Amino acid sequence: MLWRARDVRQEIQCGIAAKAEMIIQRVVLNSRPGKHGVPVAENFRLEESTIADAIQAGQVRVRTLYLSVDPYMRCRMNEDTGSDYLLPWQLSEVADGGGIGVVEESKHDNFVKGDFVISFNWPWQTAAILDGSLLQKLIPQLVNGRLSYFLGAAGITGLTALLGIKEKGHVAVGANQTMVVSGAAGACGSLAGQIGRLEGCSRVVGIAGTDEKCSILVQEMGFDAAINYKKGNVAEQLREFCPGGVDVYFDNVGGDISDTVISQMNQNSHIILCGQISQYNKDVPYPPPLSPDIEKIQKERNITRERFLVLNYMDKQEASVLQLCQWIQEGKLKVRETVVEGLANIGGKASQRSVTSWEVEH
């Protein structure tokens, strides 16, 4: 999910930064849903706060334009995230995540007023004073002026899809491989299917939850077929659309859907373990263990299923982002976003499982 300021497009076109207000709005964690609980909007609280009038050497004052709300944040709502690289949000403290803003004042040598910047520890508030060393300057032209893409298709989401396929999918041009993507209509899944095709897969099949999503995958995103898992028999449809079996599985969901796909995977095939969203409201280890029957299939067919963390491949970030931007500019990578305006709405969206952009309202 993306959150965006109402006047962000004017910022891009005119390069005009609005006057900062020292009284700000922010979103804090109000309560925890519990490891087995389903998040609700009341787990978050919108409140007024203030930031200092002056900034110190090395700092940058920014106005927030976009915030990204992502499935992994469900883990941060727990006291223990279950991960050594994710810190939990603290009660009554501001939430944070990927964000983009415009510089309104700078005492850091790398930034000047009007620069667009990004951080993956951006506080959920309308304005902030940040350490300039934690910011990266953005070039809007790389994404045809669509700044929010740096939080999605040209950001961590796109990197996860591209590097996952390259590092764990073992896709090869001319190998006649079939890829299946679960959670295919989500931010990462929709990119993964397209990238699988661009990297060499001869057939790409998506799994999603509505007929509308399936239609978009086929008509707009170039998937060969899409299965609505809420209708009909998924196993039968997989056999129909993947008559030669499955060679690469981009797994976003886990659970019964993944068990069905794994049962139809070929010898020496590969699972790209991106996410397990069906398990996020359960207290289980990551990655969740497979059932005995499915684990037997995995071992007998020598199917790889290794934990994948995009942060382990940051040495390939620059080249990969440039590749993603090139595909976007060439129209080879289609991007869809869900955008919600107004900081007051972010708590409700954060309690859902969609990946959206959020726009800040001024």
PDB file of all heavy atoms in Angstrom, residues 320-355:
ATOM      1  N   SER A 320      20.731  -3.974 -10.419  1.00  0.00           N
ATOM      2  CA  SER A 320      19.377  -4.531 -10.497  1.00  0.00           C
ATOM      3  C   SER A 320      18.325  -3.428 -10.596  1.00  0.00           C
ATOM      4  O   SER A 320      17.362  -3.536 -11.363  1.00  0.00           O
ATOM      5  CB  SER A 320      19.097  -5.427  -9.286  1.00  0.00           C
ATOM      6  OG  SER A 320      19.982  -6.523  -9.260  1.00  0.00           O
ATOM      7  N   VAL A 321      18.496  -2.351  -9.820  1.00  0.00           N
ATOM      8  CA  VAL A 321      17.562  -1.230  -9.890  1.00  0.00           C
ATOM      9  C   VAL A 321      17.590  -0.594 -11.281  1.00  0.00           C
ATOM     10  O   VAL A 321      16.539  -0.255 -11.849  1.00  0.00           O
ATOM     11  CB  VAL A 321      17.887  -0.180  -8.803  1.00  0.00           C
ATOM     12  CG1 VAL A 321      17.119   1.120  -9.059  1.00  0.00           C
ATOM     13  CG2 VAL A 321      17.532  -0.727  -7.425  1.00  0.00           C
ATOM     14  N   LEU A 322      18.770  -0.453 -11.835  1.00  0.00           N
ATOM     15  CA  LEU A 322      18.875   0.114 -13.194  1.00  0.00           C
ATOM     16  C   LEU A 322      18.181  -0.778 -14.212  1.00  0.00           C
ATOM     17  O   LEU A 322      17.535  -0.288 -15.151  1.00  0.00           O
ATOM     18  CB  LEU A 322      20.344   0.320 -13.567  1.00  0.00           C
ATOM     19  CG  LEU A 322      21.073   1.437 -12.805  1.00  0.00           C
ATOM     20  CD1 LEU A 322      22.545   1.472 -13.176  1.00  0.00           C
ATOM     21  CD2 LEU A 322      20.418   2.787 -13.087  1.00  0.00           C
ATOM     22  N   GLN A 323      18.278  -2.098 -14.044  1.00  0.00           N
ATOM     23  CA  GLN A 323      17.594  -3.022 -14.941  1.00  0.00           C
ATOM     24  C   GLN A 323      16.072  -2.877 -14.813  1.00  0.00           C
ATOM     25  O   GLN A 323      15.355  -2.828 -15.805  1.00  0.00           O
ATOM     26  CB  GLN A 323      17.995  -4.465 -14.632  1.00  0.00           C
ATOM     27  CG  GLN A 323      17.249  -5.524 -15.450  1.00  0.00           C
ATOM     28  CD  GLN A 323      17.541  -5.432 -16.924  1.00  0.00           C
ATOM     29  OE1 GLN A 323      18.542  -5.948 -17.395  1.00  0.00           O
ATOM     30  NE2 GLN A 323      16.668  -4.759 -17.685  1.00  0.00           N
ATOM     31  N   LEU A 324      15.586  -2.774 -13.586  1.00  0.00           N
ATOM     32  CA  LEU A 324      14.155  -2.595 -13.354  1.00  0.00           C
ATOM     33  C   LEU A 324      13.663  -1.286 -13.963  1.00  0.00           C
ATOM     34  O   LEU A 324      12.615  -1.246 -14.623  1.00  0.00           O
ATOM     35  CB  LEU A 324      13.862  -2.623 -11.852  1.00  0.00           C
ATOM     36  CG  LEU A 324      14.058  -3.972 -11.146  1.00  0.00           C
ATOM     37  CD1 LEU A 324      14.116  -3.772  -9.638  1.00  0.00           C
ATOM     38  CD2 LEU A 324      12.957  -4.954 -11.519  1.00  0.00           C
ATOM     39  N   CYS A 325      14.439  -0.209 -13.774  1.00  0.00           N
ATOM     40  CA  CYS A 325      14.058   1.087 -14.338  1.00  0.00           C
ATOM     41  C   CYS A 325      14.035   1.042 -15.864  1.00  0.00           C
ATOM     42  O   CYS A 325      13.151   1.639 -16.500  1.00  0.00           O
ATOM     43  CB  CYS A 325      15.020   2.174 -13.854  1.00  0.00           C
ATOM     44  SG  CYS A 325      14.859   2.578 -12.100  1.00  0.00           S
ATOM     45  N   GLN A 326      14.987   0.341 -16.445  1.00  0.00           N
ATOM     46  CA  GLN A 326      15.011   0.217 -17.907  1.00  0.00           C
ATOM     47  C   GLN A 326      13.769  -0.505 -18.415  1.00  0.00           C
ATOM     48  O   GLN A 326      13.143  -0.071 -19.381  1.00  0.00           O
ATOM     49  CB  GLN A 326      16.259  -0.540 -18.354  1.00  0.00           C
ATOM     50  CG  GLN A 326      16.369  -0.696 -19.876  1.00  0.00           C
ATOM     51  CD  GLN A 326      17.622  -1.461 -20.293  1.00  0.00           C
ATOM     52  OE1 GLN A 326      18.599  -1.515 -19.560  1.00  0.00           O
ATOM     53  NE2 GLN A 326      17.586  -2.049 -21.460  1.00  0.00           N
ATOM     54  N   TRP A 327      13.396  -1.591 -17.753  1.00  0.00           N
ATOM     55  CA  TRP A 327      12.189  -2.315 -18.161  1.00  0.00           C
ATOM     56  C   TRP A 327      10.942  -1.436 -18.016  1.00  0.00           C
ATOM     57  O   TRP A 327      10.045  -1.481 -18.854  1.00  0.00           O
ATOM     58  CB  TRP A 327      12.037  -3.580 -17.317  1.00  0.00           C
ATOM     59  CG  TRP A 327      12.922  -4.704 -17.745  1.00  0.00           C
ATOM     60  CD1 TRP A 327      13.458  -4.919 -18.988  1.00  0.00           C
ATOM     61  CD2 TRP A 327      13.385  -5.789 -16.924  1.00  0.00           C
ATOM     62  NE1 TRP A 327      14.219  -6.058 -18.995  1.00  0.00           N
ATOM     63  CE2 TRP A 327      14.185  -6.621 -17.747  1.00  0.00           C
ATOM     64  CE3 TRP A 327      13.196  -6.131 -15.594  1.00  0.00           C
ATOM     65  CZ2 TRP A 327      14.794  -7.785 -17.267  1.00  0.00           C
ATOM     66  CZ3 TRP A 327      13.797  -7.284 -15.102  1.00  0.00           C
ATOM     67  CH2 TRP A 327      14.590  -8.097 -15.935  1.00  0.00           C
ATOM     68  N   ILE A 328      10.895  -0.625 -16.954  1.00  0.00           N
ATOM     69  CA  ILE A 328       9.755   0.281 -16.761  1.00  0.00           C
ATOM     70  C   ILE A 328       9.694   1.309 -17.877  1.00  0.00           C
ATOM     71  O   ILE A 328       8.640   1.562 -18.472  1.00  0.00           O
ATOM     72  CB  ILE A 328       9.854   0.966 -15.381  1.00  0.00           C
ATOM     73  CG1 ILE A 328       9.620  -0.056 -14.255  1.00  0.00           C
ATOM     74  CG2 ILE A 328       8.835   2.102 -15.273  1.00  0.00           C
ATOM     75  CD1 ILE A 328       9.936   0.461 -12.874  1.00  0.00           C
ATOM     76  N   GLN A 329      10.849   1.904 -18.196  1.00  0.00           N
ATOM     77  CA  GLN A 329      10.891   2.918 -19.249  1.00  0.00           C
ATOM     78  C   GLN A 329      10.518   2.341 -20.608  1.00  0.00           C
ATOM     79  O   GLN A 329       9.888   3.013 -21.436  1.00  0.00           O
ATOM     80  CB  GLN A 329      12.287   3.539 -19.310  1.00  0.00           C
ATOM     81  CG  GLN A 329      12.627   4.423 -18.115  1.00  0.00           C
ATOM     82  CD  GLN A 329      14.058   4.932 -18.155  1.00  0.00           C
ATOM     83  OE1 GLN A 329      14.948   4.320 -18.750  1.00  0.00           O
ATOM     84  NE2 GLN A 329      14.298   6.067 -17.519  1.00  0.00           N
ATOM     85  N   GLU A 330      10.886   1.094 -20.837  1.00  0.00           N
ATOM     86  CA  GLU A 330      10.603   0.447 -22.123  1.00  0.00           C
ATOM     87  C   GLU A 330       9.189  -0.126 -22.193  1.00  0.00           C
ATOM     88  O   GLU A 330       8.792  -0.639 -23.237  1.00  0.00           O
ATOM     89  CB  GLU A 330      11.618  -0.674 -22.363  1.00  0.00           C
ATOM     90  CG  GLU A 330      13.046  -0.172 -22.565  1.00  0.00           C
ATOM     91  CD  GLU A 330      14.063  -1.311 -22.612  1.00  0.00           C
ATOM     92  OE1 GLU A 330      13.697  -2.469 -22.293  1.00  0.00           O
ATOM     93  OE2 GLU A 330      15.230  -1.047 -22.980  1.00  0.00           O
ATOM     94  N   GLY A 331       8.453  -0.055 -21.079  1.00  0.00           N
ATOM     95  CA  GLY A 331       7.096  -0.589 -21.053  1.00  0.00           C
ATOM     96  C   GLY A 331       7.040  -2.099 -20.933  1.00  0.00           C
ATOM     97  O   GLY A 331       5.971  -2.701 -21.125  1.00  0.00           O
ATOM     98  N   LYS A 332       8.162  -2.720 -20.603  1.00  0.00           N
ATOM     99  CA  LYS A 332       8.201  -4.185 -20.486  1.00  0.00           C
ATOM    100  C   LYS A 332       7.734  -4.666 -19.113  1.00  0.00           C
ATOM    101  O   LYS A 332       7.399  -5.839 -18.946  1.00  0.00           O
ATOM    102  CB  LYS A 332       9.617  -4.690 -20.757  1.00  0.00           C
ATOM    103  CG  LYS A 332      10.085  -4.478 -22.188  1.00  0.00           C
ATOM    104  CD  LYS A 332      11.508  -4.989 -22.371  1.00  0.00           C
ATOM    105  CE  LYS A 332      11.967  -4.799 -23.809  1.00  0.00           C
ATOM    106  NZ  LYS A 332      13.376  -5.268 -24.003  1.00  0.00           N
ATOM    107  N   LEU A 333       7.748  -3.754 -18.137  1.00  0.00           N
ATOM    108  CA  LEU A 333       7.332  -4.091 -16.784  1.00  0.00           C
ATOM    109  C   LEU A 333       6.142  -3.207 -16.430  1.00  0.00           C
ATOM    110  O   LEU A 333       6.276  -1.999 -16.259  1.00  0.00           O
ATOM    111  CB  LEU A 333       8.489  -3.869 -15.808  1.00  0.00           C
ATOM    112  CG  LEU A 333       8.438  -4.572 -14.449  1.00  0.00           C
ATOM    113  CD1 LEU A 333       8.345  -6.081 -14.630  1.00  0.00           C
ATOM    114  CD2 LEU A 333       9.661  -4.211 -13.618  1.00  0.00           C
ATOM    115  N   LYS A 334       4.965  -3.817 -16.353  1.00  0.00           N
ATOM    116  CA  LYS A 334       3.740  -3.088 -16.043  1.00  0.00           C
ATOM    117  C   LYS A 334       3.577  -3.010 -14.522  1.00  0.00           C
ATOM    118  O   LYS A 334       3.801  -3.985 -13.814  1.00  0.00           O
ATOM    119  CB  LYS A 334       2.528  -3.795 -16.647  1.00  0.00           C
ATOM    120  CG  LYS A 334       2.621  -4.040 -18.157  1.00  0.00           C
ATOM    121  CD  LYS A 334       2.639  -2.740 -18.935  1.00  0.00           C
ATOM    122  CE  LYS A 334       2.431  -2.963 -20.427  1.00  0.00           C
ATOM    123  NZ  LYS A 334       3.441  -3.855 -21.043  1.00  0.00           N
ATOM    124  N   VAL A 335       3.162  -1.828 -14.058  1.00  0.00           N
ATOM    125  CA  VAL A 335       3.072  -1.606 -12.620  1.00  0.00           C
ATOM    126  C   VAL A 335       1.663  -1.137 -12.254  1.00  0.00           C
ATOM    127  O   VAL A 335       1.114  -0.235 -12.885  1.00  0.00           O
ATOM    128  CB  VAL A 335       4.085  -0.536 -12.158  1.00  0.00           C
ATOM    129  CG1 VAL A 335       4.008  -0.347 -10.648  1.00  0.00           C
ATOM    130  CG2 VAL A 335       5.498  -0.918 -12.588  1.00  0.00           C
ATOM    131  N   ARG A 336       1.107  -1.762 -11.236  1.00  0.00           N
ATOM    132  CA  ARG A 336      -0.163  -1.325 -10.649  1.00  0.00           C
ATOM    133  C   ARG A 336       0.055  -1.031  -9.176  1.00  0.00           C
ATOM    134  O   ARG A 336       0.737  -1.780  -8.499  1.00  0.00           O
ATOM    135  CB  ARG A 336      -1.244  -2.397 -10.806  1.00  0.00           C
ATOM    136  CG  ARG A 336      -1.991  -2.314 -12.130  1.00  0.00           C
ATOM    137  CD  ARG A 336      -3.304  -3.051 -12.017  1.00  0.00           C
ATOM    138  NE  ARG A 336      -4.170  -2.782 -13.150  1.00  0.00           N
ATOM    139  CZ  ARG A 336      -5.470  -2.575 -13.052  1.00  0.00           C
ATOM    140  NH1 ARG A 336      -6.066  -2.596 -11.868  1.00  0.00           N
ATOM    141  NH2 ARG A 336      -6.207  -2.358 -14.121  1.00  0.00           N
ATOM    142  N   GLU A 337      -0.546   0.051  -8.689  1.00  0.00           N
ATOM    143  CA  GLU A 337      -0.420   0.423  -7.289  1.00  0.00           C
ATOM    144  C   GLU A 337      -1.800   0.678  -6.693  1.00  0.00           C
ATOM    145  O   GLU A 337      -2.716   1.110  -7.388  1.00  0.00           O
ATOM    146  CB  GLU A 337       0.403   1.711  -7.133  1.00  0.00           C
ATOM    147  CG  GLU A 337       1.839   1.599  -7.584  1.00  0.00           C
ATOM    148  CD  GLU A 337       2.557   2.929  -7.478  1.00  0.00           C
ATOM    149  OE1 GLU A 337       1.990   3.937  -7.945  1.00  0.00           O
ATOM    150  OE2 GLU A 337       3.666   2.953  -6.934  1.00  0.00           O
ATOM    151  N   THR A 338      -1.926   0.411  -5.410  1.00  0.00           N
ATOM    152  CA  THR A 338      -3.092   0.844  -4.650  1.00  0.00           C
ATOM    153  C   THR A 338      -2.644   2.028  -3.817  1.00  0.00           C
ATOM    154  O   THR A 338      -1.715   1.918  -3.025  1.00  0.00           O
ATOM    155  CB  THR A 338      -3.594  -0.277  -3.727  1.00  0.00           C
ATOM    156  OG1 THR A 338      -3.933  -1.411  -4.521  1.00  0.00           O
ATOM    157  CG2 THR A 338      -4.821   0.181  -2.944  1.00  0.00           C
ATOM    158  N   VAL A 339      -3.281   3.171  -4.024  1.00  0.00           N
ATOM    159  CA  VAL A 339      -2.833   4.401  -3.380  1.00  0.00           C
ATOM    160  C   VAL A 339      -3.961   4.954  -2.508  1.00  0.00           C
ATOM    161  O   VAL A 339      -5.093   5.080  -2.951  1.00  0.00           O
ATOM    162  CB  VAL A 339      -2.408   5.452  -4.418  1.00  0.00           C
ATOM    163  CG1 VAL A 339      -1.943   6.735  -3.725  1.00  0.00           C
ATOM    164  CG2 VAL A 339      -1.312   4.900  -5.317  1.00  0.00           C
ATOM    165  N   VAL A 340      -3.637   5.275  -1.273  1.00  0.00           N
ATOM    166  CA  VAL A 340      -4.583   5.844  -0.323  1.00  0.00           C
ATOM    167  C   VAL A 340      -4.055   7.192   0.129  1.00  0.00           C
ATOM    168  O   VAL A 340      -2.878   7.314   0.487  1.00  0.00           O
ATOM    169  CB  VAL A 340      -4.767   4.913   0.893  1.00  0.00           C
ATOM    170  CG1 VAL A 340      -5.671   5.564   1.928  1.00  0.00           C
ATOM    171  CG2 VAL A 340      -5.340   3.575   0.454  1.00  0.00           C
ATOM    172  N   GLU A 341      -4.896   8.225   0.106  1.00  0.00           N
ATOM    173  CA  GLU A 341      -4.466   9.560   0.508  1.00  0.00           C
ATOM    174  C   GLU A 341      -4.826   9.819   1.966  1.00  0.00           C
ATOM    175  O   GLU A 341      -5.881   9.427   2.444  1.00  0.00           O
ATOM    176  CB  GLU A 341      -5.118  10.620  -0.376  1.00  0.00           C
ATOM    177  CG  GLU A 341      -4.619  10.602  -1.810  1.00  0.00           C
ATOM    178  CD  GLU A 341      -5.077  11.813  -2.603  1.00  0.00           C
ATOM    179  OE1 GLU A 341      -5.641  12.734  -1.980  1.00  0.00           O
ATOM    180  OE2 GLU A 341      -4.867  11.835  -3.819  1.00  0.00           O
ATOM    181  N   GLY A 342      -3.948  10.501   2.676  1.00  0.00           N
ATOM    182  CA  GLY A 342      -4.228  10.932   4.033  1.00  0.00           C
ATOM    183  C   GLY A 342      -3.651  10.017   5.088  1.00  0.00           C
ATOM    184  O   GLY A 342      -3.935   8.825   5.133  1.00  0.00           O
ATOM    185  N   LEU A 343      -2.836  10.588   5.957  1.00  0.00           N
ATOM    186  CA  LEU A 343      -2.178   9.817   7.010  1.00  0.00           C
ATOM    187  C   LEU A 343      -3.193   9.139   7.928  1.00  0.00           C
ATOM    188  O   LEU A 343      -2.943   8.070   8.474  1.00  0.00           O
ATOM    189  CB  LEU A 343      -1.264  10.738   7.812  1.00  0.00           C
ATOM    190  CG  LEU A 343      -0.386  10.106   8.883  1.00  0.00           C
ATOM    191  CD1 LEU A 343       0.500   9.029   8.282  1.00  0.00           C
ATOM    192  CD2 LEU A 343       0.461  11.159   9.571  1.00  0.00           C
ATOM    193  N   ALA A 344      -4.362   9.733   8.092  1.00  0.00           N
ATOM    194  CA  ALA A 344      -5.380   9.164   8.974  1.00  0.00           C
ATOM    195  C   ALA A 344      -5.855   7.800   8.496  1.00  0.00           C
ATOM    196  O   ALA A 344      -6.399   7.014   9.276  1.00  0.00           O
ATOM    197  CB  ALA A 344      -6.572  10.117   9.078  1.00  0.00           C
ATOM    198  N   ASN A 345      -5.642   7.492   7.218  1.00  0.00           N
ATOM    199  CA  ASN A 345      -6.131   6.231   6.659  1.00  0.00           C
ATOM    200  C   ASN A 345      -5.110   5.107   6.706  1.00  0.00           C
ATOM    201  O   ASN A 345      -5.433   3.972   6.353  1.00  0.00           O
ATOM    202  CB  ASN A 345      -6.568   6.446   5.210  1.00  0.00           C
ATOM    203  CG  ASN A 345      -7.717   7.426   5.105  1.00  0.00           C
ATOM    204  OD1 ASN A 345      -8.665   7.349   5.879  1.00  0.00           O
ATOM    205  ND2 ASN A 345      -7.630   8.356   4.166  1.00  0.00           N
ATOM    206  N   ILE A 346      -3.884   5.398   7.113  1.00  0.00           N
ATOM    207  CA  ILE A 346      -2.841   4.378   7.001  1.00  0.00           C
ATOM    208  C   ILE A 346      -3.029   3.239   7.997  1.00  0.00           C
ATOM    209  O   ILE A 346      -2.738   2.088   7.701  1.00  0.00           O
ATOM    210  CB  ILE A 346      -1.435   5.003   7.160  1.00  0.00           C
ATOM    211  CG1 ILE A 346      -0.364   4.009   6.683  1.00  0.00           C
ATOM    212  CG2 ILE A 346      -1.184   5.459   8.579  1.00  0.00           C
ATOM    213  CD1 ILE A 346       1.015   4.607   6.600  1.00  0.00           C
ATOM    214  N   GLY A 347      -3.567   3.527   9.185  1.00  0.00           N
ATOM    215  CA  GLY A 347      -3.747   2.480  10.177  1.00  0.00           C
ATOM    216  C   GLY A 347      -4.685   1.396   9.705  1.00  0.00           C
ATOM    217  O   GLY A 347      -4.436   0.203   9.883  1.00  0.00           O
ATOM    218  N   GLY A 348      -5.790   1.783   9.062  1.00  0.00           N
ATOM    219  CA  GLY A 348      -6.736   0.803   8.555  1.00  0.00           C
ATOM    220  C   GLY A 348      -6.125  -0.062   7.487  1.00  0.00           C
ATOM    221  O   GLY A 348      -6.348  -1.278   7.434  1.00  0.00           O
ATOM    222  N   LYS A 349      -5.334   0.537   6.612  1.00  0.00           N
ATOM    223  CA  LYS A 349      -4.708  -0.237   5.549  1.00  0.00           C
ATOM    224  C   LYS A 349      -3.583  -1.110   6.090  1.00  0.00           C
ATOM    225  O   LYS A 349      -3.335  -2.192   5.592  1.00  0.00           O
ATOM    226  CB  LYS A 349      -4.163   0.707   4.463  1.00  0.00           C
ATOM    227  CG  LYS A 349      -5.276   1.366   3.641  1.00  0.00           C
ATOM    228  CD  LYS A 349      -6.114   0.335   2.927  1.00  0.00           C
ATOM    229  CE  LYS A 349      -7.257   0.971   2.154  1.00  0.00           C
ATOM    230  NZ  LYS A 349      -8.110  -0.041   1.496  1.00  0.00           N
ATOM    231  N   ALA A 350      -2.887  -0.628   7.113  1.00  0.00           N
ATOM    232  CA  ALA A 350      -1.808  -1.421   7.684  1.00  0.00           C
ATOM    233  C   ALA A 350      -2.342  -2.686   8.350  1.00  0.00           C
ATOM    234  O   ALA A 350      -1.621  -3.666   8.506  1.00  0.00           O
ATOM    235  CB  ALA A 350      -1.030  -0.595   8.701  1.00  0.00           C
ATOM    236  N   SER A 351      -3.607  -2.673   8.733  1.00  0.00           N
ATOM    237  CA  SER A 351      -4.186  -3.851   9.371  1.00  0.00           C
ATOM    238  C   SER A 351      -4.648  -4.875   8.355  1.00  0.00           C
ATOM    239  O   SER A 351      -5.084  -5.963   8.711  1.00  0.00           O
ATOM    240  CB  SER A 351      -5.378  -3.439  10.255  1.00  0.00           C
ATOM    241  OG  SER A 351      -6.457  -2.961   9.465  1.00  0.00           O
ATOM    242  N   GLN A 352      -4.560  -4.526   7.057  1.00  0.00           N
ATOM    243  CA  GLN A 352      -4.922  -5.457   6.005  1.00  0.00           C
ATOM    244  C   GLN A 352      -3.659  -6.104   5.443  1.00  0.00           C
ATOM    245  O   GLN A 352      -2.548  -5.735   5.785  1.00  0.00           O
ATOM    246  CB  GLN A 352      -5.703  -4.737   4.899  1.00  0.00           C
ATOM    247  CG  GLN A 352      -6.995  -4.111   5.416  1.00  0.00           C
ATOM    248  CD  GLN A 352      -7.691  -3.298   4.361  1.00  0.00           C
ATOM    249  OE1 GLN A 352      -7.347  -3.351   3.185  1.00  0.00           O
ATOM    250  NE2 GLN A 352      -8.678  -2.529   4.783  1.00  0.00           N
ATOM    251  N   ARG A 353      -3.837  -7.053   4.511  1.00  0.00           N
ATOM    252  CA  ARG A 353      -2.687  -7.801   4.033  1.00  0.00           C
ATOM    253  C   ARG A 353      -2.246  -7.345   2.650  1.00  0.00           C
ATOM    254  O   ARG A 353      -1.402  -7.958   2.038  1.00  0.00           O
ATOM    255  CB  ARG A 353      -3.003  -9.296   4.005  1.00  0.00           C
ATOM    256  CG  ARG A 353      -3.260  -9.856   5.370  1.00  0.00           C
ATOM    257  CD  ARG A 353      -3.280 -11.354   5.361  1.00  0.00           C
ATOM    258  NE  ARG A 353      -4.285 -11.886   4.461  1.00  0.00           N
ATOM    259  CZ  ARG A 353      -4.514 -13.178   4.301  1.00  0.00           C
ATOM    260  NH1 ARG A 353      -3.813 -14.062   4.967  1.00  0.00           N
ATOM    261  NH2 ARG A 353      -5.441 -13.609   3.467  1.00  0.00           N
ATOM    262  N   SER A 354      -2.855  -6.276   2.124  1.00  0.00           N
ATOM    263  CA  SER A 354      -2.475  -5.806   0.805  1.00  0.00           C
ATOM    264  C   SER A 354      -1.203  -4.972   0.884  1.00  0.00           C
ATOM    265  O   SER A 354      -0.825  -4.481   1.932  1.00  0.00           O
ATOM    266  CB  SER A 354      -3.596  -4.965   0.199  1.00  0.00           C
ATOM    267  OG  SER A 354      -3.861  -3.860   1.018  1.00  0.00           O
ATOM    268  N   VAL A 355      -0.575  -4.819  -0.263  1.00  0.00           N
ATOM    269  CA  VAL A 355       0.598  -3.955  -0.345  1.00  0.00           C
ATOM    270  C   VAL A 355       0.166  -2.709  -1.093  1.00  0.00           C
ATOM    271  O   VAL A 355      -0.267  -2.767  -2.225  1.00  0.00           O
ATOM    272  CB  VAL A 355       1.742  -4.648  -1.093  1.00  0.00           C
ATOM    273  CG1 VAL A 355       2.933  -3.718  -1.195  1.00  0.00           C
ATOM    274  CG2 VAL A 355       2.126  -5.921  -0.374  1.00  0.00           C
TER     275      VAL A 355
END
